Amino acid sequence: MRSDSVKKGMQQAPHRSLFNALGYTEEELEKPLIGIVSSYNEIVPGHMNLDKIVAAVKQGVAMAGGTPIVFPAIAVCDGIAMGHMGMKYSLVTRDLIADSTECMALAHQFDALVMVPNCDKNVPGLLMAAARLNIPTIFVSGGPMLAGHVKGKKRSLSSMFEAVGSYSAGTMTEDDVKEYENKVCPTCGSCSGMYTANSMNCLTEALGMGLPGNGTIPAVYSERIKLAKHAGMKIMELLEKDIKPRDIMSEKAFMNALTVDMALGCSTNSMLHLPAIAHEAGVELDVDIANEVSARTPNLCHLAPAGPTYMEDLNEAGGVYAVMNELTKKNLLYTDLITATGKTVAENIAGCEILDKEVIRPLDNPYSKTGGLAILKGNIAPDSGVVKRSAVVPEMMKHEGPARVFDCEEDAIAAIKGGKIVAGDVVVIRYEGPKGGPGMREMLNPTSAIAGMGLGSSVALITDGRFSGASRGASIGHVSPEAAVGGPIALIEEGDIIAIDIDACTLNVKVSDEELAARRAKWQPREPKITGGYLSRYASLVTSGNRGAILKNPEGF
C-alpha cells in the first residue's frame, strides 16, 4: 500500500509516533488510509451540510475496512462574492484547491481519496486534483438546494438577482424584493437551478467519477446521507481493483460529459472546467469540438434559468442516468467505459427510464435538436466565445445592434441600472478576462439587471469575463483572446455595430479589417489592476478562457 511508506518498518517509527499522537491504533494503521477531502465551511450554503456528508463517508469507509482521515479544501460562495472584487477570487480558487489537495495527498501518502465538494470551483478543482494524483478516488457532493416558493411559483437565486433589476426598473416594490430575499434559498445545498455547481456535479456522474444521484439528490434528503455511506464503501472496492481516475476519465469519458452537458443545458462554465480537468488527465479537449457534439445532441432539459424546472424535478424525473440512457437510444454515448461504480456506463444506466417527459424530454420531442451550448467565432472572438443557447429567447438568436462599451463590470451595471441601455444595444464588458480581471469575474449582476429591467429579449451582452450558470439571455462570455492581451474585443468602439448569429455560431463587429488594423496599431496594454498577492501571480501564469484558464507550467506550457 502507498501508505506503508509512512507506517511500516523501523525508519517509519517516528511517523508512527505521530500517528500515536493522533490517537490511531495499531489496528487502524494496518488498514488502508483513506483521505476524505472535506469542503465544509460556514460561509457557503452548499457546504454547510458537508460535515454530515463527511461523517457518513467516514462511516462507509470504516464499514468497508479502511481508516478514514479528513483534511480540508477551501470554497468561495459565488453568490456572496458576486458583483464586487470578491468575484476575482472565485475562479482562481480552482487551482488552489487542486494544488493544496495534491500537497496533502502526497505529503501524507494516502492510499485513496473520497472528494466531498459541492459548489462551483470545488468540483472542478478536486476533479483536477484527482486526475493529477491518479490514485483511486470517488466523489460525493453535498447536493442541490430545494427551490424556493414565491406566490405559488418555484424560484431560485437567479430570480433573486433579477428581482433587484425589476426594482431598479420600478416594476417591483421593496416589499416584493424582501419576499424573494426570504424565500428563494430555503435550504442548504448548491443553488437549485442548473447553475455551475449542479452542472459540474451532474457532469461528475457523466464522467464516471460519482455514484448515481451525485448531481441531483437534494441536500436535505436522507438519501444523500446513504449515498455518502455508499461512496465510502465503494472507495475500498476501487482501491482493491486499482481503478484510478485516469482509467475512468478517458478521452471517451470527456466526450460523454460534453454530450450530457448539451442534453442537460449546463452552465457555460463547463467550457472552462472540462478542458482544465482533461488537461490534468492528459487529454486534449479543444472547445471547438463542442459545436460538433452540439450538432448531434438534442437539448432535453430546460432547468432554471432556461425554464421553470429545478434540480429536485430532475431528480424525480430519473436524474442524470435517465438522460444518459435516453441518449444511448441514438448511440450518442460510449457505454463500455469503466466508472467509479466499478461497473461500465452501460451497466450503470440499464433500465433508467425517464419518469417525467417534460422535465427530461425524450429524443423524439426535444427542446431543440441541438445542444444547450454553442461556441461562437468571428473577428471579435478569433479563438472563441461561448453562449448558453438553451437560455436565449428565439428573437435574440440573431441580433445586430450598437456596441455600448465598458472597461469593467461596475461601469456596465451603473449604466444598465441608470437606464442608459436601451432595446437593441449590445453591452460589451472587457478587461475582465483571466489576466485582465484578473480572475475572470462572473457577470450575473449585469445579466440579471438586463433581464429584470425587461430587456432580456432585446439586449445582448458580450465579455471576455464569464457568466454565472444563473445567467440567461444572449450572454456571450469567454471571448478569446481577451482584451488584456490585445484581443479584438479591446478594439471595439462605442457605437460599432455588433452582429451575433448563434445558430451560425458567429460573433462579429461590422468594421473593416483595415480599420481594425489601424485601431490595433494605436492600442496599448493596460497597467495591471492588481500588482501584489495571489491574484498577481495568477495573472502572470493563467492562459486564455478558450484553453480552460489553466495555469502555465514553468516551461511556459
Side-chain angles (χ1 to χ4, degrees):
M1 288 188 294
R2 175 187 296 266
S3 62
D4 286 350
S5 61
V6 297
K7 296 188 305 184
K8 302 286 188 180
M10 183 55 65
Q11 290 298 317
Q12 280 65 46
H15 305 72
R16 291 193 297 274
S17 72
L18 294 169
F19 280 108
N20 286 335
L22 290 163
Y24 286 105
T25 65
E26 289 184 8
E27 291 83 358
E28 286 174 301
L29 295 181
E30 286 296 321
K31 299 174 182 178
L33 302 186
I34 310 301
I36 302 173
V37 187
S38 171
S39 300
Y40 169 77
N41 65 39
E42 295 182 344
I43 190 63
V44 184
H47 290 223
M48 63 180 285
N49 65 318
L50 294 189
D51 56 339
K52 310 295 190 300
I53 303 298
V54 167
V57 171
K58 289 180 68 176
Q59 189 172 352
V61 168
M63 285 192 295
T67 297
I69 302 175
V70 179
F71 65 89
I74 63 169
V76 164
C77 177
D78 278 24
I80 294 173
M82 194 73 64
H84 54 89
M85 77 163 294
M87 182 46 70
K88 295 178 185 289
Y89 286 91
S90 172
L91 177 62
V92 305
T93 64
R94 186 185 71 180
D95 298 275
L96 283 173
I97 291 161
D99 292 349
S100 59
T101 301
E102 173 195 352
C103 293
M104 289 293 289
L106 294 182
H108 302 102
Q109 293 292 289
F110 289 106
D111 296 300
L113 297 172
V114 183
M115 307 294 200
V116 188
N118 207 27
C119 288
D120 295 35
K121 308 309 164 302
N122 288 81
V123 184
L126 290 178
L127 283 166
M128 289 165 66
R132 187 186 303 174
L133 291 162
N134 202 34
I135 62 176
T137 303
I138 195 168
F139 278 66
V140 56
S141 77
M145 184 183 293
L146 294 178
H149 291 80
V150 181
K151 294 181 170 60
K153 293 184 178 180
K154 287 185 178 180
R155 297 296 187 200
S156 62
L157 184 65
S158 55
S159 310
M160 182 71 253
F161 276 89
E162 290 178 16
V164 175
S166 297
Y167 175 77
S168 298
T171 58
M172 265 196 184
T173 67
E174 187 174 347
D175 286 343
D176 291 331
V177 175
K178 189 71 173 179
E179 183 178 10
Y180 271 71
E181 182 181 329
N182 288 326
K183 293 182 177 179
V184 297
C185 295
T187 70
C188 63
S190 47
C191 295
S192 56
M194 187 55 83
Y195 310 152
T196 305
N198 292 325
S199 294
M200 294 310 302
N201 282 321
C202 287
L203 294 182
T204 299
E205 285 191 59
L207 275 172
M209 288 297 293
L211 298 179
N214 179 69
T216 61
I217 297 171
V220 295
Y221 282 15
S222 298
E223 190 67 25
R224 176 64 57 178
I225 300 296
K226 293 165 66 176
L227 181 74
K229 291 177 182 176
H230 282 130
M233 290 185 272
K234 184 62 67 174
I235 192 59
M236 300 307 297
E237 178 186 335
L238 296 178
L239 177 61
E240 181 183 0
K241 294 180 176 179
D242 196 30
I243 297 174
K244 298 188 287 289
R246 291 194 185 191
D247 301 323
I248 296 169
M249 290 192 283
S250 63
E251 183 176 356
K252 289 181 178 178
F254 281 100
M255 294 305 296
N256 279 355
L258 270 177
T259 301
V260 174
D261 190 336
M262 296 299 172
L264 287 172
C266 291
S267 164
T268 53
N269 282 312
S270 62
M271 291 296 99
L272 278 176
H273 299 321
L274 287 176
I277 299 161
H279 174 70
E280 295 287 356
V283 173
E284 186 66 31
L285 186 64
D286 191 327
V287 296
D288 287 355
I289 202 170
N291 284 344
E292 295 177 31
V293 176
S294 179
R296 61 176 179 261
T297 308
N299 178 224
L300 305 181
C301 300
H302 263 192
L303 287 94
T309 53
Y310 295 83
M311 295 306 297
E312 63 202 69
D313 302 310
L314 179 60
N315 188 61
E316 295 301 320
V320 175
Y321 277 14
V323 174
M324 293 177 71
N325 190 43
E326 186 68 14
L327 292 170
T328 62
K329 294 174 183 178
K330 284 193 177 179
N331 298 315
L332 293 172
L333 296 178
Y334 297 100
T335 60
D336 59 345
L337 311 180
I338 194 65
T339 72
T341 67
K343 300 177 181 178
T344 65
V345 172
E347 291 173 309
N348 287 342
I349 65 178
C352 296
E353 299 295 334
I354 298 171
L355 304 178
D356 186 328
K357 293 186 178 181
E358 274 305 303
V359 178
I360 306 171
R361 289 196 175 182
L363 288 169
D364 59 6
N365 183 35
Y367 282 100
S368 65
K369 293 181 180 180
T370 53
L373 299 179
I375 302 296
L376 309 187
K377 289 193 173 187
N379 65 359
I380 295 175
D383 290 339
S384 68
V386 61
V387 64
K388 188 170 184 174
R389 173 164 43 194
S390 59
V392 180
V393 295
E395 54 267 38
M396 289 299 290
M397 295 295 284
K398 189 171 185 177
H399 178 76
E400 287 192 11
R404 306 299 309 281
V405 182
F406 304 94
D407 287 350
C408 67
E409 178 188 4
E410 287 83 356
D411 289 350
I413 292 171
I416 295 164
K417 292 187 175 179
K420 296 179 181 179
I421 303 301
V422 299
D425 284 348
V426 178
V427 176
V428 178
I429 305 177
R430 61 194 183 190
Y431 295 99
E432 289 285 8
K435 283 185 179 294
M440 204 179 187
R441 287 194 287 182
E442 287 186 344
M443 304 291 170
L444 181 56
N445 271 355
T447 59
S448 297
I450 288 168
M453 296 184 76
L455 297 170
S457 60
S458 60
V459 168
L461 192 155
I462 66 172
T463 181
D464 53 8
R466 61 196 179 93
F467 295 109
S468 165
S471 292
R472 62 186 176 98
S475 303
I476 302 161
H478 310 191
V479 169
S480 302
E482 62 175 291
V485 298
I489 192 172
L491 309 179
I492 299 171
E493 295 183 357
E494 186 81 8
D496 286 348
I497 300 300
I498 307 290
I500 300 165
D501 191 332
I502 293 173
D503 285 331
C505 298
T506 59
L507 175 63
N508 290 290
V509 57
K510 300 182 84 170
V511 173
S512 70
D513 292 344
E514 293 76 13
E515 172 61 19
L516 287 176
R519 294 180 187 180
R520 178 172 298 285
K522 298 176 183 177
W523 180 82
Q524 294 292 324
R526 302 290 181 90
E527 288 294 319
K529 295 178 182 176
I530 305 288
T531 57
Y534 178 61
L535 285 180
S536 178
R537 296 197 300 275
Y538 180 87
S540 70
L541 294 173
V542 71
T543 61
S544 64
N546 70 301
R547 296 174 64 188
I550 60 174
L551 301 186
K552 294 177 289 187
N553 65 26
E555 290 74 37
F557 182 69

